[in-house]
Amino acid sequence: IKINNDISYNDAKDEIKRLVEDAVKLRLRSDVSIGCYLSGGIDSSVVSSVASQNLKDLNTYTFTSKAFPKQDESELAKKSSNYINSNHHEIELKFNEILKLWKESVYYMDEPELGYSLIPQMEISKKVSENLKVVLGGQGGDELFYGYSWHTQIATSFIKNLKDFSFTNKLKTLKN
């Protein structure tokens, strides 16, 4: 991969937009119906938005859970769905279902995962697969584009600490 460090901010924005749109459009080539997972974060909202511009009657899916209100992103997903005019579906997970799915989700993990997001993702995938075989998501984009406020807090803290970091100090620490 050739990296251009001299690109302007506006040119970089345009290039990222082009790359994301191309990536989503490429994945919309299908002989079957396509839907999108929509959490309300930047990643799934962008993917769903591009898909909605290129498909008629896009169906979007999110989970909701009264048992875990802090992790319930259904309100954000609803706002995103209204904005892109998708047919939005909420799949509710109850506390007892989440506990039951815990053991099954651990079985399917390739590696340990922090948090419990795999459980709702697994259940939504099961339910959505009853009607669809292709569903787009945005896994990883929130981390790259600071999709949640806590990402910004981590990045700000990292940059602040980076000012105090020097290669010489690091070598001295390793030497001792």
Side-chain angles (χ1 to χ4, degrees), residues 55-101:
L55 294 175
K56 292 182 180 180
D57 301 321
L58 176 68
N59 287 292
T60 54
Y61 302 86
T62 193
F63 97 98
T64 183
S65 177
K66 292 176 181 41
F68 296 96
K70 287 185 178 180
Q71 286 76 31
D72 188 334
E73 299 177 346
S74 60
E75 287 304 314
L76 287 171
K78 237 183 273 186
K79 287 179 183 178
S80 295
S81 171
N82 289 338
Y83 184 78
I84 66 171
N85 199 30
S86 67
N87 303 315
H88 192 60
H89 310 273
E90 289 184 358
I91 297 168
E92 184 173 359
L93 291 176
K94 294 181 172 56
F95 185 73
N96 60 340
E97 293 171 323
I98 291 171
L99 291 177
K100 186 177 85 176
L101 292 167

Side-chain angles (χ1 to χ4, degrees), residues 25-34 55 133-135:
K25 286 177 189 175
L26 180 66
R27 283 147 184 88
L28 295 177
R29 297 178 189 165
S30 177
D31 294 336
V32 297
S33 297
I34 297 175
L55 294 175
K133 298 301 171 202
V134 179
V135 186

